[in-house]
Amino acid sequence: MIVNVWYSVNGERLGTYMGHTGAVWCVDADWDTKHVLTGSADNSCRLWDCETGKQLALLKTNSAVRTCGFDFGGNIIMFSTDKQMGYQCFVSFFDLRDPSQIDSNEPYMRIPCNDSKITSAVWGPLGECIIAGHEGGELNQYSAKSGEVLVNVKEHSRQINDIQLSRDMTMFVTASKDNTAKLFDSTTLEHQKTFRTERPVNSAALSPNYDHVVLGGGQEAMDVTTTSTRIGKFEARFFHLAFEEEFGRVKGHFGPINSVAFHPDGKSYSSGGEDGYVRIHYFDPQYFEFEFEA
């Protein structure tokens, strides 16, 4: 229920963002890390001052906020809400330059999603669209201006848990409950590569420097207590981006990995698991030598 910011070099906690009263499902920072956006199961999306932790805006919703994000310039925010308690899934867009939208809690555009709810979403190239993954495995590209569906594909057979863009935003990788992660073109949503595992994939990330993909996941949470760490497949798994071959695994977590992310310099990555730990691994990508974890 509490959002924390940590110093990645040594694991020191720098501060917290206090206010949410439910599980926090999504966090995003703008390009210059002045503002932080969070979405929660307490039916709210909140805007924070990154440095001071002060809450700048509170946007109330009818259901849990599942995904959120700033556009490339940091002026437009989007967030999606869950389909629950009789309310359907919506994607809402607010312009932070217009205080009246925040004060009235009225977005300048709201897109209804009638079929299956959005479970992951990111801004597309140049902030012209958002790319959303759905509970049924579909991928939709929505126009940020009109709200219309520009492209629709279905390459996954089950829920898409995570979407992460490449550094240049030309590609993105998805993680799905169907035991795969897949690489797509950001503009056309054309399927490029598939990375297969034996367990649900909760998160996947693309290295900014090398042709590497890291996957995190593991056995379903309800079965974890009866499974050893080896059988549960709780390792972070590395694949070659072009050849789709697994070339390394890193142990450490004692439960499913929920999220993975590369450091912008590509020299380390972090993983967060259901065991309650966030682990930061430093390594030499050429030799795959890990130095320590925090």
Side-chain angles (χ1 to χ4, degrees), residues 210 212 238 247-250 266-267 282-291:
Y210 296 88
H212 297 168
F238 282 76
F247 65 87
R249 298 187 184 188
V250 181
K267 295 179 180 180
Y282 287 80
F283 61 97
D284 182 340
Q286 290 183 332
Y287 300 100
F288 210 70
E289 293 178 351
F290 288 78
E291 296 175 359

Side-chain angles (χ1 to χ4, degrees), residues 93 114 188:
F93 294 81
N114 300 318
T188 64

Side-chain angles (χ1 to χ4, degrees), residues 28-30 35-37 47 68-72 74 76-77 96 123:
D28 190 32
D30 59 7
H35 299 123
V36 175
L37 189 67
L47 182 69
C68 66
F70 290 95
D71 75 338
F72 191 74
I76 310 293
I77 63 170
L96 298 178
W123 281 92

Side-chain angles (χ1 to χ4, degrees), residues 1-63:
M1 288 190 283
I2 300 174
V3 181
N4 298 281
V5 57
W6 306 79
Y7 193 45
S8 62
V9 172
N10 58 12
E12 177 188 356
R13 187 169 69 173
L14 300 179
T16 58
Y17 302 91
M18 305 289 288
H20 283 296
T21 57
V24 177
W25 291 119
C26 52
V27 180
D28 190 32
D30 59 7
W31 68 276
D32 57 358
T33 60
K34 286 186 177 179
H35 299 123
V36 175
L37 189 67
T38 59
S40 170
D42 65 4
N43 298 359
S44 75
C45 185
R46 300 174 191 241
L47 182 69
W48 312 81
D49 183 289
C50 187
E51 185 177 0
T52 66
K54 179 183 178 181
Q55 182 177 298
L56 303 177
L58 168 61
L59 301 169
K60 295 184 178 180
T61 62
N62 292 320
S63 58

Side-chain angles (χ1 to χ4, degrees), residues 197 200-205 213-218 229 232-239 246-262 269-273 279-281 283 288 290 293:
T197 70
V201 184
N202 294 331
S203 185
V213 185
V214 62
L215 275 58
T229 57
K233 309 289 185 184
F234 301 143
E235 308 102 330
R237 305 174 68 166
F238 282 76
F239 287 77
E246 183 180 355
F247 65 87
R249 298 187 184 188
V250 181
K251 296 182 179 180
H253 286 285
F254 296 95
I257 296 173
N258 288 332
S259 60
V260 292
F262 276 99
Y269 81 96
S270 62
S271 59
R279 300 178 182 272
I280 300 173
H281 299 266
F283 61 97
F288 210 70
F290 288 78
E293 63 185 19

